[in-house]
Each structure stands twice: as C-alpha cells, then as structure tokens.
Amino acid sequence: MENAQVIGTRVLIMAVILIIGAVAYKAGVISKEGTKQLSAVELKIVNPLMIFMSYQSDFDVSRLKGLMWTFVLSAASFAVIIPLATLLKRKSNESYSVERFSCIYSNCGFMGIPLINALYGSDGVLYLTAYITIFNLLVFTHGYMLMKEETDFSAFISAVKSPTIIAVFVGLICYVLNLRLGSIPYVGDVFDSALQLVADMNTPLAMLIAGATAAQSNLLKAVRDKGILSTCFYKLLLLPMVIILLIAMLPEGVPQMSKLIVCIACACPAATTGTMFALLFDKNANRCSEIFALSTILSIATLPIITATASLLI
C-alpha cells in the first residue's frame, strides 16, 4: 500500500501541474503550435537526457540483471496486450485503428518516468528504459502499420534513430564501461549538473504539455462516447489487470522492481504518439486526442488502484 500512496501523491502533484497547463492554454500563454514545440523539446531533449542520466550510476551486476528482466517482461506484456486489444476492438468499428492503438500503447515516457522516479529513483528509471525501448521499437513498426492499416516497415529506421533509443544505448554503454560525466577532468561536474538540471524538467514540462493538450479536447463529448469510455477502461484497468495476474504467477527469482515497473508502465494513459499518427494518416485525430485527454485525467484515480493491486499480488 505504501507504493500506492507514493504513486497517488505523485499523481495528484502531476494533476495540479496538468491543470496549470490547461489554464495556460485557455489563457493563451501556450498556443496550439507552442504545445507541439514543447512536445518536441520534451521528446527530443528532456526525456532522452532523463534516460541517459539514469545510467550515470555505478555498475552493478544485479542491477543489470534486473534491467534485462525488465526487457523480457516488457516484450512479453506487449505480446499479450496486442492480441487482446485486437479481440476487444473489432474492425466493424470505423475508429478501430485509433482505439486499438490507444489500448496498446501507453504514455510511458511522459507519465511513466516521473511516477517510477518517485517510487524507485534513478534505479527505477533505468529499469523503465527497457519498457520505453520496447515501446519505441513497436510503436514505430506495429503501431505505425496499425494506424496506417498497411504493412510498412520503413518507420523502423526512424524508431532506431530516435533520441530516446540513442539515449538508451549510449547510456547503457556508459553504464557497462563505467564511464561517468563527473570523471571528465575540470568540466565533468559542470556537465553532470547541467544535464541533470535539464533532465529534472521532465515531470513539470510533460504535465504542462498534457494539460495544454487536454484543454484542446472536447471532454464533455468524450465522457458521453461509449467507444472512448471502453477504450479508457481497457487501457487503464482491464489490460493492466491481465498483465498483473500473469506477472504474479512468475517465480520469486524475477526482480520485484522489474515486475511492478512493467505493470505501472502498461497502466499509464494512452500515448500521445497516436494523435501524431492519426494526423499523418488522416485518421480521426480529434478522437485520439480525446482518448488521450480523458485517459490522462482518469489515470489520476486508476494508477494508484493498479499500483496497490500489483503491490498486493506480486
């Protein structure tokens, strides 16, 4: 229950910042174009630096083992969620690609990193990078093709070259070889402090963006839409509960931190990437944005529930 209290407190803090972001958009402080620019800063600079800095710790074999286990569990969780989402969201629904995408892919970077950082610190963020890596590889291959409704692996190169994936691999190399910014003569501490300050922007910036994005959506319309409500239910509760029950059956030799991190990551609200893909392929981008906004708000209540359940069963 202590984990749930930590997550609950953190989610409430993030909710306050989200409201500030929404008010800032309504007041004209953040524009629609400004939201896109802030998202680019978050995804291409702040988020990758947060990930890279999580690897700036002393090498430990047990920590590396936990990281590898998180890779395995993350891949396995997607292997379960993808077919289940296909069963839950049929092609008979004209918005099936948007809703199915939103059921599968979570906002594990924007929401996941600050939550896991609050729960486990830099070690937790290091483990979470495994889930984020699998997410990025799948979202730009399977997710891309799902939204496009065609088989096309060309986006895989973009996924591999993304700043997030580069940060994971560069950080992992530095971690294994025990290369630290602080060890650079004369300027090491300066670089370390500067990059850490930028990395610490992750939570407030991500929530300001989420709030500004949510303010652009028609939430009153979203809460009356059965398709959007069912998508939020599947994304925030049903599918994470399936993953929790499956992970709970694993032997005790699997690190508990790895288990809980995967459960929390898959329970985060719908990914913002869905809106980007919907715009790219002329799908219903407004619906995608409404699912993101409503699932983000509902996650304030559901994330502590999922965390408490996972902590109790695992």
Side-chain angles (χ1 to χ4, degrees):
M1 294 303 292
E2 184 181 344
N3 287 343
Q5 289 175 347
V6 172
I7 291 291
T9 301
R10 193 68 176 185
V11 165
L12 287 174
I13 292 170
M14 291 164 65
V16 172
I17 304 174
L18 187 147
I19 292 169
I20 293 172
V23 172
Y25 176 79
K26 291 296 185 181
V29 177
I30 302 176
S31 65
K32 192 170 185 178
E33 186 61 33
T35 306
K36 293 179 181 178
Q37 292 173 334
L38 288 175
S39 296
V41 172
E42 170 71 17
L43 290 171
K44 295 181 180 180
I45 299 175
V46 179
N47 202 298
L49 281 179
M50 177 76 171
I51 290 170
F52 174 77
M53 293 306 292
S54 71
Y55 284 92
Q56 289 290 296
S57 56
D58 293 333
F59 177 77
D60 182 82
V61 174
S62 63
R63 195 182 290 135
L64 184 61
K65 178 185 175 183
L67 180 64
M68 295 302 105
W69 266 114
T70 313
F71 269 110
V72 173
L73 294 181
S74 300
S77 71
F78 279 108
V80 172
I81 288 174
I82 288 173
L84 280 179
T86 303
L87 290 173
L88 292 168
K89 292 293 181 178
R90 301 285 186 174
K91 272 194 175 183
S92 56
N93 178 0
E94 63 179 13
S95 298
Y96 86 97
S97 58
V98 167
E99 293 180 7
R100 192 182 296 177
F101 183 100
S102 298
C103 283
I104 297 168
Y105 296 105
S106 67
N107 210 355
C108 54
F110 276 27
M111 290 287 287
I113 288 178
L115 291 176
I116 298 302
N117 190 44
L119 202 58
Y120 293 117
S122 59
D123 280 359
V125 175
L126 186 146
Y127 281 26
L128 182 63
T129 60
Y131 189 94
I132 293 172
T133 301
I134 300 296
F135 166 88
N136 275 279
L137 292 175
L138 284 174
V139 81
F140 283 100
T141 49
H142 170 265
Y144 183 91
M145 291 185 287
L146 173 61
M147 198 70 84
K148 190 177 182 181
E149 297 182 32
E150 291 180 16
T151 302
D152 181 0
F153 285 97
S154 60
F156 181 76
I157 303 300
S158 298
V160 174
K161 294 191 298 184
S162 72
T164 300
I165 298 296
I166 292 171
V168 169
F169 285 107
V170 173
L172 185 58
I173 290 169
C174 290
Y175 179 67
V176 173
L177 297 179
N178 218 28
L179 301 175
R180 303 290 171 263
L181 289 173
S183 64
I184 300 174
Y186 306 113
V187 295
D189 289 340
V190 173
F191 275 108
D192 186 79
S193 298
L195 296 187
Q196 189 60 57
L197 281 171
V198 177
D200 289 342
M201 292 168 56
N202 185 78
T203 300
L205 183 58
M207 288 303 99
L208 286 173
I209 294 165
T213 304
Q216 298 170 37
S217 305
N218 189 339
L219 290 175
L220 290 177
K221 175 188 171 186
V223 296
R224 294 195 298 265
D225 190 304
K226 291 182 180 178
I228 292 177
L229 287 174
S230 66
T231 299
C232 290
F233 171 70
Y234 297 150
K235 178 74 200 74
L236 299 174
L237 290 172
L238 181 61
L239 293 173
M241 283 302 301
V242 171
I243 297 302
I244 289 172
L245 292 174
L246 291 174
I247 287 180
M249 293 188 288
L250 294 175
E252 292 184 2
V254 181
Q256 187 186 47
M257 190 190 298
S258 297
K259 294 177 182 179
L260 286 173
I261 284 172
V262 170
C263 292
I264 294 169
C266 72
C268 286
T272 53
T273 318
T275 304
M276 180 184 74
F277 283 169
L279 289 169
L280 182 64
F281 300 125
D282 294 320
K283 302 297 179 183
N284 194 336
N286 286 335
R287 190 175 190 80
C288 230
S289 181
E290 287 163 1
I291 292 171
F292 162 78
L294 187 59
S295 65
T296 299
I297 292 170
L298 292 176
S299 70
I300 295 170
T302 60
L303 275 168
I305 293 171
I306 290 296
T307 304
T309 305
S311 300
L312 184 66
L313 296 178
I314 294 175

